[in-house]
Amino acid sequence: MARVYLYTLIRIIIFLLRLLALGASVAAIVIMVTSHDSAQVLGMTFEAKFANTPTFKYFVGVNILASAYSLIVLFSPTKNLLGRIILISDIIMTLLLDSSISACLAIAQVGKKGNSHAGWLPICGQVPKFCDHVAGSLIAGFAASILYFLLLLCSFHNVLNLYTLKA
């Protein structure tokens, strides 16, 4: 009887984690897609938007993929074979989200601080609204990445628990 309650509690926790991960991924997408600002330098207008940087496009694409995956898995049953497939998919999603966050953090650092060795100047002084949106999107994306890591640990627990229950 206690095992049934524990299993139900774990299922509820996983459902809530997936729901939170979905929300964080969608928030990261919306914030990044709405990031745009313009600045005038020497009489010329420059526009900064997420679509100008392939890394930001990758970040949005991965978060769209993660959101779609969360929606599919949120309402899927987790039985024997499907549980293993979800475990593998959780690993892939976690790695993709981590790689997109890492790439975006590198570009955001260059945008904020510049790179004196390459002669790149920081742009956040000229387009602060854009940089604030990118920072907010990265925070939401990082939250999604942490939630997916927690989901990965729960998936490992579930798959290992299935093996111990059979033995």
Side-chain angles (χ1 to χ4, degrees):
M1 189 70 155
R3 184 168 257 178
V4 172
Y5 288 128
L6 181 63
Y7 179 74
T8 305
L9 180 66
I10 290 172
R11 295 296 306 146
I12 290 171
I13 290 171
I14 289 173
F15 181 81
L16 291 175
L17 282 175
R18 287 208 187 276
L19 202 58
L20 286 172
L22 173 65
S25 291
V26 170
I29 294 165
V30 170
I31 295 169
M32 183 64 83
V33 169
T34 60
S35 65
H36 62 280
D37 199 0
S38 59
Q40 280 200 328
V41 178
L42 301 172
M44 296 174 61
T45 302
F46 294 96
E47 188 176 14
K49 55 185 177 178
F50 92 98
N52 294 341
T53 308
T55 305
F56 293 157
K57 289 183 197 177
Y58 173 65
F59 177 77
V60 169
V62 166
N63 277 291
I64 289 172
L65 182 66
S67 298
Y69 169 73
S70 288
L71 276 175
I72 291 169
V73 173
L74 201 56
F75 300 108
S76 298
T78 55
K79 298 298 178 198
N80 295 339
L81 180 61
L82 190 59
R84 291 184 204 136
I85 293 171
I86 288 174
L87 172 65
I88 293 168
S89 300
D90 281 346
I91 292 170
I92 292 169
M93 280 301 123
T94 303
L95 291 174
L96 283 173
L97 282 169
D98 288 346
S99 71
S100 71
I101 289 288
S102 298
C104 280
L105 282 173
I107 293 298
Q109 181 68 18
V110 170
K112 185 175 181 178
K113 301 284 185 184
N115 186 336
S116 60
H117 300 292
W120 297 335
L121 299 174
I123 65 162
C124 285
Q126 287 77 28
V127 285
K129 182 181 165 191
F130 172 75
C131 290
D132 291 343
H133 271 250
V134 169
S137 181
L138 288 175
I139 291 168
F142 192 69
S145 182
I146 289 172
L147 289 167
Y148 269 100
F149 180 73
L150 292 174
L151 282 168
L152 178 63
L153 294 177
C154 289
S155 293
F156 272 128
H157 173 75
N158 282 347
V159 169
L160 292 176
N161 211 11
L162 285 174
Y163 288 122
T164 58
L165 289 176
K166 287 182 182 179

